Amino acid sequence: MTRRAAILVSLMLLPGIAQAQGADPIGPGMEAWYAKARRSAPGSWGVVVADQSGQVLWSINADAPLIPASTVKLLTTGFARTVVGPDARRATRVIGDGAVDPATGTWQGRWGLELNGDPTLERRDRTGPSLLSLAQQLASIGVRRLVGPLSVTTAGSSGEARSIFPSVWPARHRGRSYAPLIGPVTLNENLVEFSVLPGTRSGAPAVIAADAPAGVAALITNKAKTVAGSRNRIKISAQPGGKFLVSGTIGTRAGARRHQSVAANPTVVLEAAWRHATQLAGIEWQATSSIGAPGFGFRRILAEVVSQPFDSIAHEVNTRSLNIGAELMLLWGGGPVRAAEQLTQHIRSVTGLSGGVDLVDGSGLSERDRVAPIVFTTYLANFPQTPGGRNFAQLLPANGSGTLRSLRTGLPAPGVVRAKTGTLGNVSSLVGYLGRSEGTLLIAAIYNGSRVGAARQAQWSLFRALGANGVVIPAEAAVAVESFGGP
């Protein structure tokens, strides 16, 4: 018996393998691929390859609910897009109940900021909407002085807006840059960033620069000194109240010490950033306690900035696999109550499948999420046929970009694959579209086990093999998607 025949016989004895009737040419290749993948990455595999109508061509454990990791983001994208539409924008506003005193420029009455979870607000690269623009709009209507504490609200709520660490996320992720606090109060993806540079001469204080969001330098106590030489002995420590202490020494010839951390209290960051913005706009802010808690009579919009359209945000979230962006899209579409349940129901409605999916978040960072491979391929087939699904594939990264950088080689051109990866300590998943001249393939390959790296390599090899003669997946019409930063 040849080695090839032996592999085929052994595959016939494995449970859960299914292949569509007929002489589809991918069958033998899939069997050989799975045999190799299973050897290199033992664990739980679930794989479906289907045609563009959703007809299964080959599968293994198609109905097994597995941990999907970040491939959940493509489902969140479809849900939120269905609810809000491809052109929807997220607004950040200054709201007020009162009027400007023409003699002094003082705003007389209540005022506050309305934040609604725009993931592009106050970006480090300054490409998104900014608080400075809001402050400048206030100045343009004659405001020269604000009195009172910063009240922060969100649309549709009379209470104070805040961001939290999702209870469904494992506690071990807390404090990691990919797992910041989630909610309407979001600036610079709820990350705090700054650089420490040497002063102009030995003995001078170190310099704090490139802070993001702009204004967070006010939260830093700087006790670092410049010394001769090239050594960098800067120490940065978190302090109570979301503040930082910079100490130690930095040489006159030393490079910058870059710091990035998750904002421990986004509202404190917002207050520092708003003070900086008002100062630049020529507005004096006297932060007294005279106004009190949020609460408005006639709620007037005094200033407003908006995000880029939903599709641009979704494209970036999927390309960078941005957890905070996915969770904010979920809140955008589902609101603050039972959004994950609404997402799960949306998937069941689109696929017509009553089981195989149970999601508790929108990003896939929770290990409580479960999706069967057949749910993914059925969704990929059906969703583009719905009113919210036009050009859905174009919202996923193309091979060679973002998390699909490793598919830069081995395929004919960028755009042959449009897919989403997912990675956790025990998960490697890859779900998406693969263009071929005879029709687009829908692929869901999910691995749960300890050999994540080997599983990812097997998934790359699957897409390369099936797409060796692939064609670029067409769009129905040009889709304008803008990237706000690199992956």
Side-chain angles (χ1 to χ4, degrees):
M1 180 182 292
T2 66
R3 181 172 181 274
R4 168 74 172 168
I7 290 175
L8 293 177
V9 169
S10 64
L11 286 168
M12 292 174 63
L13 299 177
L14 292 175
I17 291 182
Q19 187 172 328
Q21 297 297 317
D24 188 87
I26 75 165
M30 286 299 303
E31 293 165 357
W33 170 83
Y34 180 64
K36 183 177 180 180
R38 191 166 174 267
R39 287 195 303 269
S40 63
S44 298
W45 279 93
V47 183
V48 172
V49 179
D51 65 20
Q52 59 193 21
S53 70
Q55 175 67 37
V56 175
L57 303 177
W58 190 94
S59 70
I60 174 73
N61 298 325
D63 299 319
L66 297 169
I67 305 172
S70 283
T71 49
V72 168
K73 292 181 177 68
L74 70 84
L75 302 171
T76 301
T77 297
F79 164 63
R81 194 185 200 223
T82 297
V83 176
V84 306
D87 300 320
R89 297 173 185 260
R90 216 58 168 140
T92 302
R93 302 179 174 113
V94 181
I95 55 176
D97 178 7
V100 180
D101 182 341
T104 65
T106 301
W107 178 260
Q108 296 182 323
R110 294 181 183 270
W111 66 276
L113 295 182
E114 180 188 286
L115 272 69
N116 295 300
D118 176 2
T120 70
L121 181 65
E122 284 291 325
R123 284 183 177 275
R124 177 183 66 246
D125 59 9
R126 315 295 196 241
T127 55
S130 69
L131 296 178
L132 176 58
S133 179
L134 284 179
Q136 290 171 333
Q137 290 178 47
L138 282 185
S140 71
I141 62 172
V143 177
R144 296 291 179 266
R145 186 168 178 263
L146 292 171
V147 178
L150 180 61
S151 298
V152 187
T153 65
T154 190
S157 173
S158 59
E160 183 178 0
R162 63 192 185 99
S163 294
I164 62 171
F165 186 82
S167 61
V168 296
W169 284 1
R172 68 178 182 276
H173 297 310
R174 186 183 291 270
R176 302 295 184 92
S177 61
Y178 57 78
L181 303 189
I182 304 297
V185 184
T186 298
L187 290 84
N188 190 40
E189 299 169 12
N190 279 342
L191 299 176
V192 171
E193 301 171 282
F194 57 88
S195 292
V196 184
L197 306 173
T200 55
R201 56 181 175 77
S202 181
V207 176
I208 307 297
D211 56 330
V216 299
L219 301 177
I220 302 168
T221 300
N222 181 16
K223 295 186 177 181
K225 297 294 183 182
T226 305
V227 298
S230 58
R231 290 190 176 183
N232 188 326
R233 294 178 174 174
I234 292 295
K235 181 179 180 181
I236 301 172
S237 55
Q239 302 294 297
K243 299 183 179 181
F244 299 89
L245 172 64
V246 176
S247 58
T249 60
I250 184 169
T252 54
R253 301 192 305 277
R257 166 71 184 279
R258 184 70 182 165
H259 173 80
Q260 181 190 79
S261 61
V262 169
N265 188 334
T267 301
V268 170
V269 173
L270 173 62
E271 185 171 358
W274 179 241
R275 182 171 296 281
H276 178 73
T278 53
Q279 288 173 345
L280 291 181
I283 298 173
E284 176 193 356
W285 175 26
Q286 184 180 346
T288 69
S289 58
S290 59
I291 290 184
F296 297 89
F298 176 71
R299 203 173 158 114
R300 174 184 167 195
I301 297 174
L302 307 179
E304 180 179 87
V305 293
V306 296
S307 69
Q308 290 294 315
F310 175 87
D311 275 7
S312 290
I313 293 174
H315 182 264
E316 185 193 7
V317 167
N318 286 301
T319 299
R320 293 176 55 200
S321 201
L322 188 62
N323 289 326
I324 187 172
E327 297 297 343
L328 293 176
M329 287 199 305
L330 179 62
L331 291 173
W332 197 352
V337 180
R338 300 183 181 277
E341 293 181 20
Q342 295 177 57
L343 168 61
T344 300
Q345 183 55 45
H346 161 81
I347 297 162
R348 290 173 177 167
S349 176
V350 169
T351 62
L353 302 173
S354 59
V357 57
D358 186 11
L359 298 176
V360 298
D361 71 358
S363 63
L365 192 57
S366 175
E367 294 178 358
R368 290 166 50 188
D369 291 323
R370 293 292 186 276
V371 183
I374 190 65
V375 172
F376 274 118
T377 54
T378 306
Y379 189 89
L380 293 178
N382 292 356
F383 183 66
Q385 312 308 315
T386 69
R390 183 171 178 267
N391 282 322
F392 177 63
Q394 306 301 312
L395 301 183
L396 305 178
N399 52 295
S401 66
T403 57
L404 299 187
R405 285 189 301 271
S406 294
L407 283 180
R408 182 174 285 113
T409 59
L411 292 168
V416 169
V417 173
R418 291 279 181 173
K420 183 74 196 73
T421 59
T423 308
L424 290 171
N426 59 340
V427 181
S428 177
S429 55
L430 185 57
V431 174
Y433 301 91
L434 191 157
R436 302 211 307 184
S437 58
E438 57 268 45
T440 300
L441 292 180
L442 316 176
I443 304 174
I446 306 175
Y447 168 80
N448 290 180
S450 60
R451 300 294 299 275
V452 170
R456 174 67 77 225
Q457 292 305 313
Q459 290 160 352
W460 292 146
S461 69
L462 171 62
F463 273 70
R464 288 190 177 105
L466 294 178
N469 298 310
V471 298
V472 174
I473 298 170
E476 296 176 34
V479 179
V481 288
E482 299 180 33
S483 176
F484 294 94

